[in-house]
Structures are given as structure tokens and as C-alpha cells.
Amino acid sequence: MPSPTPTTSRPAATPAPTRGPTRITSVDITPVAFADPPLLNTVGVHEPFALRAIVQVHTDAGATGLGETYGDAAHLGRLRLAADAVLGADPFNINSLRALITHSLDGDTSRGGHGMSGMVTGSSTADRVLSAFDVAALDIQGRLLGVPVSDLLGGAVRPSVPFSGYLFYKWAGRPGAPADAWGEALDPEGVVEQARRMVRDYGFTALKLKGGVFPPDEEAAAIEALHSQFPRIALRIDPNGAWSVPTSVAVARRLESQLEYLEDPTTGLEAMAEVRRQTRLPLATNMCVVSFADIPPAIAAGSVDIVLSDHHFWGGLRRSQTLAGLAETFGLGLSMHSNSHLGISLAAMVHLAAATPNLDYACDTHWPWKDPADDVVAPGVLGFRDGAVAVPTGPGLGIELDHDALERLHRQYLDCGIRERDDTGYMRRVHPDYELKAPRW
Ligand code: GKR
Ligand code: MG
């Protein structure tokens, strides 16, 4: 039998390289402050200004990437260590950025700086620091390649991202000052009024009430009032772990037919699992599953049905996609957490959510609580329509830094004197007898 004629396959043409090596040349970290209303939660009340840090990563390729993260003093110190460590690194190699940043924090002994006023402390320090650099690196990559960050994350599966309106109990205004534009919300009527305005102005189709402030019966009554006023809107309540297991079970049973999910009714994986065994209501968390190490015990105990991802503490957009994959694998739902933030974070959240097929719920956002003039992002790209934000289509995050606004918000930071979010301390300045309790009820 004749031996088969050997065939020679033609070597595939090697595409010409489209970019040369890119190096990080410098990093600017600018703490900023923006006005925040007196919003109540289970650890106190929001101070007059919320803090953020704006990270600008400059490269020798002419592109600068943007990131946004917490502005607490200890976190700023860690960001500076990381900034030194990434000089000369390739912004296309996020694995190497992660290794450099993790290593830069080896000797760090500072404490605090979680940006959550004590409500969430178990997240990974390295992931919290990495996050802003990961977002900035993806912004650089997108700018240099001429594609939006959502493309770099696998492609948008939705043209816009739905958000939930974030309702808070609140004082009418700062102590001694006249009422602000939102006015008081200290009972079900006030909460419904607030919701009416949010739904009218933003078109939200989901609403979340920050609880843990008043006795659970009163907060359950507020949810019932919301349900009767907005029967088609998906509702959630989040007391940030302020309830005991029996209280959580009683509220869950009372609200079973009115809530989409119940968020962190109680504290810790075991207590959450105990509540879960006694209610049909799905339980969500941004407190007891806040790092990859929390996932195996949460799955084993059956503590939660839904994880609220948050790229600010899950290590950025790429690691949040890993979380999404784990959620899919283990049959967990996925939603998105937020606390006070500016436009760079909103843009990053929108790109991530757009490129996460199994993001099953409207994402949280504090956005309506911010004065629209108080932002570091140039206006025109980010906006709400029917409760959703369209995915920016420009290269990278698709937004531009407003340098004058950055300078103004930095001046606000210097002048406001706040260096660490401290909702409890501020509450005690107004009500010296205020006590921190967990569980509160
Ligand atoms: O801003 O008061 C607040 C919130 O309570 C925030 O700090 C929480 O992290 O909104 C967050 C949550 O869902 O737990
Ligand atoms: Mg929460």
C-alpha cells in the first residue's frame, strides 16, 4: 500500500502586533469628599460628607486609566504602597499587578479603612486595594484598543443595567440646619414619599429599604406600605445583621409574599443558615460572604441564596467575574451591592453588570443621594432612564475625568476634616447615649 503523500500545512500568517509594550509611569491618588444627607443605618448616621479616592494610572502609551475606591485614611495609605509597587508594570497584565500589589501590602500593619463604618470588615485587604488598579488597567486597555471595558469582560449581554432605588430612613436635615430637599423619612409614610420621588425621577422598578434603624415591626410596616403603593415593584429590606434569629424569622414570615429577597437579616453564616431553614424567602448578603474564603462554608451551611457582588471589595471587575462563575456553579443568585460612590464606580459597575450574564437582580446604587453637581466625571455619558443606566460605548470605561471637579472635591476633602467614615461617632455627637448593639432586636 502506497504510503500517504505527506501534506504540508501552510503556517498561519502571524498577525502584526497592534501595540507595543505599555508601562505604568505614575499613579495619582486623590482623596475627595462629596456632600451626603443624614441617612440612618444600624450603626449610626451618615456624616455630612462621604469620602472616596480617585486613582489615575498614567502610562507611557499616553492613556490614563481611572479607578475609584474608599477614601478612608488607612486605605489611602495602602493605595500609596500599591501605587509605588506597580510603577513600570504592564497594565495589560492584571495577574502581575495583583502579585505586585499583594506583595506591597506584606508589611502593612494598619487597621480599618474598609469604607463601611464597621458593617463589613471581613473582605480581603489585598482585593480592596487591587480593585481600583484593576478597573484603571481595564480602562487603559480599552482606551488603547478602542473598545469598551464590557467588551474586554466578554461582551455586554444587555444594553443597559437596571438598578434598585435605595431608600433610607433619614432626618429632615442636619441637626440645627433647615430640612434638605429630600426631607424627613422616619415612618412608613415618609418612606413611601421618598420612594414616590425616586420612582418618579429615576423610574426604578426595584426598591431596597435600609433597615436596622427602628423596631422591626415598624420597618415591616414600611415594606407593607411600599407594597400596597407599588405592587409591581420588587422590594428588599436590609437591616445589616441587626436582628436576632427569631426576629429575622418572624419578619421573614410576615413579609414572605412581599419581598423579592431579605438581605443580611442577621449576622454570620450559621445564624443566616438557621434563618434560611425557617423561611422560604431567599436570603441575600454583602456581609457574611465578602471574600472567596467565605464561599465554601456558606455553601456547606446553606447560609445564603444570593450574593451581592461588589467589585470594590471582591478585587475588581475580573475577580468579580470569577465570583459570578462560582455563583453559577453553586446555583447562587447574584446581585450587586453599593455604598456612597461617584461616577467612575458607577461606570465600572455598569460595564461589569452588562458583561455578567447571570446577574439576576437590579443592582444597588446610592446614586440618587448625591448632588448631581458633585462628581469627578464629566457629564453627558451616565444617566438613568426607566431605572437603568445605558452601558457606555466609548473606549475603556467610556467616561472622562473632569479635572476642575476633581480639584473642587479634593478641596472639599481637605476642608471637611473627615478622614475615616464613622457613622457611629457622628451619631454620638448628636445623641451621646447612642449604643451600638448586635443584634439590636
Ligand atoms: O451607606 O449606610 C450605608 C449602607 O448601609 C452601606 O454602608 C452598606 O454597605 O448599603 C450597604 C449594604 O447594603 O449593606
Ligand atoms: Mg447590604
Side-chain angles (χ1 to χ4, degrees):
M1 204 172 173
S3 58
T5 321
T7 54
T8 40
S9 56
R10 233 185 268 174
T14 310
T18 52
R19 67 172 185 98
T22 307
R23 298 288 156 204
I24 294 173
T25 49
S26 63
V27 177
D28 294 326
I29 295 160
T30 314
V32 296
F34 60 100
D36 201 16
L39 308 177
L40 298 162
N41 58 35
T42 199
V43 298
V45 58
H46 286 207
E47 295 167 272
F49 290 91
L51 307 182
R52 299 296 272 178
I54 305 305
V55 176
Q56 294 175 73
V57 177
H58 307 286
T59 63
D60 59 5
T64 291
L66 301 174
E68 178 187 331
T69 176
Y70 313 111
D72 295 324
H75 188 61
L76 288 175
R78 295 181 200 120
L79 290 173
R80 290 185 185 114
L81 292 174
D84 288 344
V86 301
L87 292 181
D90 178 357
F92 281 80
N93 191 338
I94 291 177
N95 292 325
S96 129
L97 295 183
R98 183 169 166 229
L100 291 167
I101 288 172
T102 305
H103 184 59
S104 77
L105 300 173
D106 276 352
D108 173 56
T109 53
S110 61
R111 296 168 65 85
H114 304 91
M116 303 281 186
S117 208
M119 277 179 282
V120 183
T121 55
S123 55
S124 147
T125 301
D127 276 332
R128 282 197 311 276
V129 175
L130 169 64
S131 173
F133 291 88
D134 164 275
V135 172
L138 287 164
D139 191 23
I140 291 166
Q141 293 177 24
R143 283 170 193 267
L144 291 176
L145 298 173
V147 297
V149 164
S150 57
D151 277 10
L152 298 172
L153 297 177
V157 296
R158 45 184 76 89
S160 63
V161 171
F163 282 87
S164 73
Y166 204 148
L167 309 175
F168 274 83
Y169 289 107
K170 76 176 279 295
W171 294 336
R174 293 284 159 197
D180 60 33
W182 283 94
E184 184 176 272
L186 298 174
D187 54 21
E189 293 70 38
V191 169
V192 166
E193 207 34 55
Q194 194 184 89
R196 196 164 283 128
R197 176 169 165 185
M198 284 231 184
V199 171
R200 184 197 65 207
D201 293 355
Y202 293 86
F204 291 121
T205 55
L207 292 170
K208 158 167 156 175
L209 175 62
K210 175 57 55 183
V213 177
F214 292 113
D217 269 354
E218 293 178 31
E219 298 190 349
I223 291 292
E224 287 162 349
L226 287 168
H227 184 63
S228 89
Q229 290 297 314
F230 307 97
R232 282 197 294 279
I233 284 195
L235 298 174
R236 309 140 184 200
I237 183 168
D238 173 16
N240 282 113
W243 301 338
S244 67
V245 168
T247 302
S248 304
V249 171
V251 178
R253 288 188 178 155
R254 173 168 166 181
L255 298 177
E256 228 159 51
S257 62
Q258 302 178 47
L259 290 180
E260 170 179 41
Y261 59 68
L262 175 58
E263 187 174 320
D264 287 311
T266 196
T267 303
L269 294 175
E270 284 312 318
M272 286 283 281
E274 187 53 42
V275 175
R276 186 62 189 87
R277 284 191 280 276
Q278 299 184 54
T279 175
R280 286 195 302 274
L281 204 51
L283 298 190
T285 188
N286 63 268
M287 291 181 74
C288 66
V289 181
V290 292
S291 70
F292 289 95
D294 295 327
I295 293 176
I299 299 290
S303 311
V304 297
D305 304 274
I306 298 154
V307 174
L308 278 73
S309 71
D310 182 330
H311 74 268
H312 303 91
F313 59 76
W314 281 93
L317 307 186
R318 288 242 182 249
R319 287 190 42 91
S320 296
Q321 288 197 302
T322 303
L323 169 64
L326 289 171
E328 192 174 29
T329 304
F330 289 104
L332 294 171
L334 199 63
S335 189
M336 198 185 276
H337 166 261
S338 112
N339 61 7
S340 307
H341 65 88
L342 297 169
I344 299 172
S345 282
L346 182 66
M349 290 159 76
V350 168
H351 282 283
L352 173 63
T356 306
N358 59 324
L359 193 99
D360 314 300
Y361 300 91
C363 306
D364 285 352
T365 180
H366 279 240
W367 190 259
W369 295 111
K370 187 176 76 60
D371 180 336
D374 253 4
D375 211 325
V376 296
V377 167
V381 175
L382 300 169
F384 282 80
R385 195 175 176 165
D386 298 331
V389 177
V391 184
T393 51
L397 291 172
I399 50 166
E400 294 304 329
L401 189 63
D402 176 335
H403 290 271
D404 292 340
L406 179 68
E407 178 54 36
R408 189 169 55 76
L409 268 61
H410 177 56
R411 174 68 37 208
Q412 241 162 225
Y413 169 83
L414 295 175
D415 293 345
C416 77
I418 301 170
R419 294 294 176 265
E420 187 88 30
R421 177 177 170 187
D422 182 10
D423 299 13
T424 310
Y426 182 69
M427 178 63 105
R428 284 186 180 144
R429 293 215 291 283
V430 183
H431 294 292
D433 297 336
Y434 181 78
E435 269 184 80
L436 261 191
K437 278 193 210 152
R440 197 174 275 289
W441 288 280

